Amino acid sequence: MKKIISLIFISGLLLCSVSLFGNGKGDQSSSSASLVNKTGMPIMKEKTSFEVMGILMNNTRQVHYDQTDMMKALAEETNVDITWTLVPQASWQEKKNLVVASGEYPDAFHAPLSLSQDEVAMWGANGVLIRLDDLLKEYAPIITSRMDPMYDAFTRSLDGNIYALSSWADFGFDSLAGSIIKTEWLDALGLDMPTTTEEFYQVLKAFKTQDPNGNGKADEIPFSFLYIENPPNREVKREHYWLFPAFGVYDNPYHIAINDNGKLMFTANTKEWRNTIEYLHRLYAEGLIDKEVFSQDRATLTNKVRSQGTVGAYTDYRLRLSIAAPENESKFALLPPMTGPSGKKGWLRAQVGLSEGAFAITSACEYPEALVRWLDHVNDEKIGVQMAYGMFKPEGYSDAEALIPSANTPGKYIVNTDLRPATVDPSEWNMTAPISITCTILTADIYDKYIEEKDSNVAKQETCDVYRPYLSKYPYNYPFKFSVDEIEELSLMQADLLSYIYSTEAKWIAGGLTNADWDNYLKELERLNVSRYTEMYKTAYDRQK
């Protein structure tokens, strides 16, 4: 299925996009530009609908964003009426590929990570996306004033053009995952916080065999995490990648890493990678890893931690205000990086805050000037913070999620999450603004000007503080840039290679591996062009250094 989608995607681009839409080098100009006001409000002289497609980032808070108070107010003010088509993250990639292959594009893509760097480069070159450079200069004074050299370098494609803007929410987070352990169980069994991988094994074994929850049942799940088959778009923040540095390798879903000496390497054929897998098999074989680890989703993991209370250790984005129930958060603690058998210790650095592919206009859009003006307008600092966190409302407002005046810091606002009536389920509590459809650039100084720091951000910073001393020098999600020809070649080999590694890793964690298995695996990697795969990433890295 992945091969078919990939071939449809590439064929559609090569056969249709170039002939229908040109080479994508020039900016799209509307034949009816007279309907767009160049300055002032409204943006359109008459109400005009635009279809915008993106990822639904928060599946638990599904809502028709065009029906939020914020979007209604913006439509009234600008005459730009946005119709959102939002797709859950799990099915986004497939839906997006099929839409592009069909040629029935939305007017724009908008939401962080809606488009990858590779998609932006290829679809820009083939004319699916229009070039934004001149439109930004003419119609986006707010955005262009905030595009510093780092943002520009991250956003601009290898051919020198901007086809999609990145989102930038700068909160200083520099690690993505946290390992979390149930200290209530450690205390019940008289155990110390593990500091090595061997001690972690012994602790998990005690969790399984010594009834730490005291209910007389063998219902404890010593260690659980997610292992989601969606390479390379894996959920790193709730997976198992934090264990690999203890064995001497910084692994990630692409299996391409830059070590602390600045050398790029393929990770999944190293002895360090194999040693990690054998350690995980040891845990799995003794029943210390959740037997459902290869099939469960986040909701299932959350239920086990929060409702059932049966999990002793797990992986999550942060400790507080995440999977664990608020009333039980004190029963857990962040587990610092552990030392492995050869004395190694480390943690994956993440490039967090900058997200590619957050806003792009397609060649189907009749009035691209209007969408650029609209986006610039919502990047006004007052509008931007409301788009991201909810509308400004008076103190005590509890009809929907919004921003209300802070009682602690005059002139600032807080998100009124705690004011939701007890009788209203979170999934049924409406939002006043899109919330997860963030503005393109929200800098720390703008955030600090209006918002009293969210407790969820404080909680994430607490997690980062634990791991910051141990972070790798280079981020695991290094923003590699490829040419269109390189992208086409890479897309043909990457799906098969990563899927093979994924399935083999899962098989070995569950069933173990022999030397013969390893030798055959290395041969299969070469058949799947792992050398060329690594060479292409090294070329991109050397070019960007």
Side-chain angles (χ1 to χ4, degrees):
M1 182 62 181
K2 290 176 183 173
K3 276 187 175 182
I4 292 171
I5 291 173
S6 179
L7 289 172
I8 291 173
F9 162 56
I10 293 169
S11 300
L13 289 175
L14 295 180
L15 297 179
C16 300
S17 299
V18 174
S19 60
L20 291 176
F21 305 111
N23 62 13
K25 299 300 182 185
D27 289 282
Q28 180 85 355
S29 296
S30 171
S31 59
S32 304
S34 60
L35 294 179
V36 182
N37 291 317
K38 292 193 68 172
T39 59
M41 290 291 142
I43 292 172
M44 296 295 297
K45 294 179 180 178
E46 56 188 49
K47 183 163 283 191
T48 307
S49 294
F50 294 84
E51 182 186 354
V52 178
M53 183 176 177
I55 302 175
L56 179 65
M57 301 299 290
N58 191 338
N59 292 349
T60 64
R61 299 292 302 278
Q62 295 187 33
V63 67
H64 296 292
Y65 287 165
D66 48 333
Q67 296 301 311
T68 60
D69 292 347
M70 187 78 188
M71 293 308 300
K72 289 179 180 178
L74 281 171
E76 187 70 24
E77 179 184 19
T78 65
N79 271 344
V80 174
D81 189 18
I82 304 293
T83 300
W84 298 101
T85 300
L86 298 174
V87 181
Q89 192 168 7
S91 54
W92 168 246
Q93 194 65 36
E94 180 180 353
K95 174 68 173 177
K96 174 176 54 177
N97 286 347
L98 291 173
V99 165
V100 171
S102 74
E104 299 294 327
Y105 315 140
D107 291 296
F109 293 101
H110 183 28
L113 300 175
S114 288
L115 305 176
S116 69
Q117 297 267 22
D118 294 351
E119 289 166 340
V120 169
M122 178 172 282
W123 294 352
N126 286 326
V128 176
L129 306 178
I130 67 170
R131 194 170 73 93
L132 298 177
D133 302 65
D134 293 341
L135 288 167
L136 292 169
K137 289 176 184 176
E138 187 170 1
Y139 297 105
I142 296 173
I143 292 174
T144 52
S145 69
R146 297 183 195 158
M147 292 176 65
D148 70 5
M150 179 185 69
Y151 179 90
D152 188 271
F154 181 81
T155 301
R156 198 171 294 278
S157 290
L158 193 61
D159 66 4
N161 297 313
I162 294 177
Y163 301 108
L165 289 170
S166 306
S167 69
W168 185 13
D170 177 18
F171 302 119
F173 304 149
D174 47 18
S175 64
L176 199 60
S179 56
I180 298 167
I181 193 164
K182 199 163 191 176
T183 49
E184 181 186 47
W185 288 6
L186 290 176
D187 294 342
L189 301 178
L191 300 172
D192 294 327
M193 179 76 75
T195 61
T196 69
T197 53
E198 179 60 27
E199 289 175 3
F200 186 58
Y201 161 75
Q202 296 295 342
V203 163
L204 296 181
K205 194 170 182 179
F207 283 175
K208 178 176 176 60
T209 60
Q210 297 181 29
D211 191 27
N213 64 12
N215 66 357
K217 302 177 183 179
D219 57 351
E220 291 85 356
I221 301 171
F223 180 31
S224 192
F225 52 90
L226 301 185
Y227 193 88
I228 298 174
E229 185 177 10
N230 190 24
N233 299 308
R234 304 280 293 278
E235 194 170 355
V236 176
K237 61 187 177 184
R238 294 187 179 90
E239 292 213 21
H240 62 307
Y241 290 106
W242 58 272
L243 276 167
F244 286 86
F247 292 85
V249 64
Y250 295 116
D251 195 31
N252 59 67
Y254 288 90
H255 306 294
I256 292 289
I258 304 167
N259 66 24
D260 289 344
N261 294 322
K263 181 181 178 181
L264 184 139
M265 60 181 292
F266 181 76
T267 60
N269 61 356
T270 63
K271 65 178 181 180
E272 292 85 359
W273 189 84
R274 175 180 175 175
N275 290 341
T276 314
I277 302 306
E278 290 181 329
Y279 174 77
L280 286 164
H281 168 62
R282 179 188 182 193
L283 301 184
Y284 190 90
E286 297 189 30
L288 308 183
I289 289 178
D290 192 341
K291 294 297 183 184
E292 296 181 348
V293 71
F294 302 114
S295 59
Q296 67 184 352
D297 57 14
R298 181 188 174 188
T300 304
L301 176 60
T302 300
N303 181 57
K304 291 174 181 177
V305 174
R306 176 172 294 194
S307 302
Q308 299 177 18
T310 53
V311 176
Y314 64 97
T315 310
D316 200 3
Y317 180 63
R318 58 181 175 242
L319 169 53
R320 292 197 302 110
L321 303 175
S322 191
I323 286 181
E327 64 271 18
N328 291 325
E329 288 170 352
S330 62
K331 299 176 182 178
F332 294 88
L334 290 161
L335 172 63
M338 298 180 294
T339 303
S342 60
K344 303 284 187 180
K345 178 162 58 175
W347 205 259
L348 292 177
R349 178 183 296 277
Q351 180 171 280
V352 181
L354 275 167
S355 300
E356 72 263 27
F359 179 81
I361 300 176
T362 75
S363 54
C365 181
E366 188 175 359
Y367 306 108
E369 306 93 330
L371 278 185
V372 170
R373 280 208 64 204
W374 179 86
L375 188 70
D376 196 62
H377 181 59
V378 300
N379 269 274
D380 171 85
E381 57 183 49
K382 279 191 174 182
I383 298 175
V385 294
Q386 292 181 82
M387 286 285 284
Y389 297 104
M391 293 183 74
F392 294 141
K393 295 290 184 179
E395 186 176 355
Y397 175 87
S398 62
D399 292 342
E401 188 160 308
L403 288 169
I404 62 171
S406 168
N408 302 317
T409 312
K412 292 194 177 185
Y413 294 80
I414 61 170
V415 182
N416 65 333
T417 303
D418 292 338
L419 296 183
R420 174 177 55 83
T423 56
V424 179
D425 187 86
S427 63
E428 297 173 352
W429 199 37
N430 291 327
M431 297 181 287
T432 57
I435 306 295
S436 63
I437 302 294
T438 60
C439 56
T440 300
I441 304 176
L442 180 63
T443 56
D445 59 330
I446 295 174
Y447 176 87
D448 291 339
K449 182 176 179 179
Y450 293 95
I451 309 296
E452 182 178 293
E453 190 164 26
K454 287 180 66 179
D455 197 25
S456 59
N457 286 351
V458 175
K460 178 57 186 174
Q461 200 60 256
E462 291 168 355
T463 300
C464 291
D465 289 345
V466 170
Y467 301 106
R468 191 166 288 127
Y470 311 98
L471 293 176
S472 58
K473 184 175 180 180
Y474 296 88
Y476 81 87
N477 53 344
Y478 189 90
F480 296 100
K481 294 181 186 292
F482 297 97
S483 69
V484 172
D485 289 343
E486 289 169 338
I487 292 168
E488 291 176 14
E489 181 180 357
L490 195 60
S491 66
L492 291 173
M493 72 174 72
Q494 185 165 265
D496 285 344
L497 178 65
L498 297 185
S499 292
Y500 173 67
I501 296 169
Y502 169 88
S503 60
T504 304
E505 180 183 350
K507 180 176 70 175
W508 284 348
I509 291 173
L513 72 154
T514 64
N515 287 335
D517 292 333
W518 181 252
D519 291 340
N520 290 332
Y521 167 76
L522 296 180
K523 291 176 183 177
E524 184 63 11
L525 290 181
E526 288 303 324
R527 190 190 71 79
L528 293 171
N529 293 319
V530 69
S531 296
R532 175 59 180 157
Y533 175 79
T534 307
E535 179 189 356
M536 293 180 71
Y537 273 97
K538 187 176 186 305
T539 298
Y541 174 58
D542 290 341
R543 194 164 51 208
Q544 290 169 242
K545 274 196 298 188

